[in-house]
Amino acid sequence: MSEEVRAMPRVNGLAAALRMLAPRWPMLLLATAAIVVFTAASLARPLAIQHALDEGVAKGDRAELVQACLAFGALLLLVYVFQGLSTWIVNRVGQDFLYDLRMRLFEHYQRMSLAFFGRENAGRLVARMTSDVTTVNDVLNNGFLVVVQSLLTLAGATVILLTLSVRLSLAVALILPPLIVATAIFRVYSNRAYNRVRERIADVMVHMQETFSGLRVVQAFAREQKNRERFGEINERNFEANVSTVKLSSLYFPFVEWLRGAAIGLILYFGGRQVAGDAVTVGTVAAFVFYLEFIFQPIQNLSQVFDMVQSANAALGKIFGVLAVEPDVPEPERPARVQPPLEGRIALEGVTFGYDPDRPVLREIDLVIEPGQHVMLVGPTGAGKSTLAKLITRMYDPTAGTVRIGGYDLRTLRLADLRRTVTMVPQEGFLFTGTIRENILFGKPGASDAEVRAACERLGIDGFIRSLPNGYETLVSFRGSRLSAGEKQLVSIARAFLADPPVLVLDEATSSLDPHTEEQVEQALRTLLEGRTSVVIAHRLSTAEHADRVLVVDGGRIVEDGRHDELVRRGGYFAALYRQWVAGRAAKTA
Ligand SMILES: Nc1ncnc2c1ncn2[C@@H]1O[C@H](COP(=O)(O)OP(=O)(O)OP(=O)(O)O)[C@@H](O)[C@H]1O
């Protein structure tokens, strides 16, 4: 199967979440007990009203009235305290769960290989952390509480109503079928409508983002009008999706209100007749009116939670699906016992590799690079140079064959041991938000300030760093946007130098620098490479002259291998490339 279409594993999200929540059962039990107390207190309130009306008001007994009012006040207090307590516990458990989930996702992402990030859309991976977690958050905050409370309320209210008056209860039961049917229909349609709204909003965002990032092209080709028309269509679909939800709401909610009114009418009519016949009291009729709320609200709440649980189940399925993806470059089960750093000898034995295993990018490569050797990789674009570098740094494992460093198959080395031995310096000096010193320390977190300074002095970049506004403490924002490309390279060279690995793999920068910075970068690179095995993906041939060995990669094979001058004499691909480069250089200086 090709890498791009590999699907995420399917996981039952709710079951996985329940397994994660299982150790927190004592807290959830406590929350359930609190919900039982406040729901019972809540259900008892209309009984206090009934008592106040029948025993206090109707009989003119002040003491009974005061007693009933005090009881009512006590019930209110109970509801207040225990509702607060249960809300706090449930939310606390929910937030703990979400915290763990985010940490697990983040740690998992960090363990994943480049292959994973190559085939997965970054936006989707971030969505697992953000919108999916938020969906789960909603259900955790409200779902559990609402389900337990609604079920208890419905059951409690039914028992109380039947005890108070079976005949009046039957009158209330008349409105249940239309309420349940209307709610079920509303949920089905509103679910669809809200899904459409979410999709349409996503379309609006995608179009806006595309327009903003491509604004220069839009303006250069004067496509504003056309673009506006396209946005107009997308916006209209968004509008229609929203309007359809409004239509549904304007049908459903007034209907429920009408049903509520009809139910009160029925209670008054049948209740009133029974009061006249002395079968029930005025207080009972009033209590029935109050209890209506205890029937209507839970039915509506439960239907809403049912939707939320469904969405959360889908979100959890996606989250646990990502978590179930095994890393492509796993840690070895029984790692080789080594003392890093290893000897800088690289050996590839019959290495074949394809991002899609059916379409090899590198074919049967045999290669030995001796410790301390400086090797340059050259070749046409798409030849497989970067891929070769990625296999040496174990960003990917070969489809067939073995890559060794210091005699060890990379798959048998603990990743931490391997990273102490091989460091990759990418094309673009990547800086994290923080100070220059922190960015350099990334190479060796425990290093002292003096070590950092000494490393920069050796590389000849101490002067440049001290000339920055705050020297080593100068803040750089994400990706080092305040520094030039060359300056970022200097910082990333210092980072690699401090890490001090025996093997360096370097993707030479393609961006052209001003002559002074270029000289500084070249000087720093020479110092960095000294005494280490190095594999440099060359984009400029000026550095090739300093290499011990040049490898020409073409069509996934090494087609030329030798010293710079040998290859020039041999008259193959490299010689032609070199002649072209010399002629270009001569033309520039002429
Ligand atoms: N992540 C990836 N997924 C699928 N195919 C890839 C991936 N990266 C590279 N390729 C393909 O592998 C082949 C070799 O690419 P590679 O980047 O190794 O070439 P290169 O010699 O380094 O080229 P360049 O000089 O342009 O960087 C190309 O055909 C490329 O399209």
Side-chain angles (χ1 to χ4, degrees), residues 308-325:
M308 273 164 59
V309 171
Q310 275 185 324
S311 315
N313 190 23
L316 283 165
K318 288 187 228 162
I319 293 173
F320 284 101
V322 175
L323 285 173
V325 178

Side-chain angles (χ1 to χ4, degrees), residues 3-4 114-115 118-119 355-356 359 361-362 379-388 390 396 427 507 537-539 553:
E3 297 266 29
E4 287 72 11
L114 278 187
R119 64 177 179 261
Y355 294 93
D356 172 351
R359 280 185 288 142
V361 171
L362 294 177
T381 181
K385 307 178 293 288
S386 310
T387 308
L388 194 61
K390 286 176 197 160
Y396 294 87
Q427 237 183 48
D507 198 352
I537 303 169
H539 299 292
V553 185

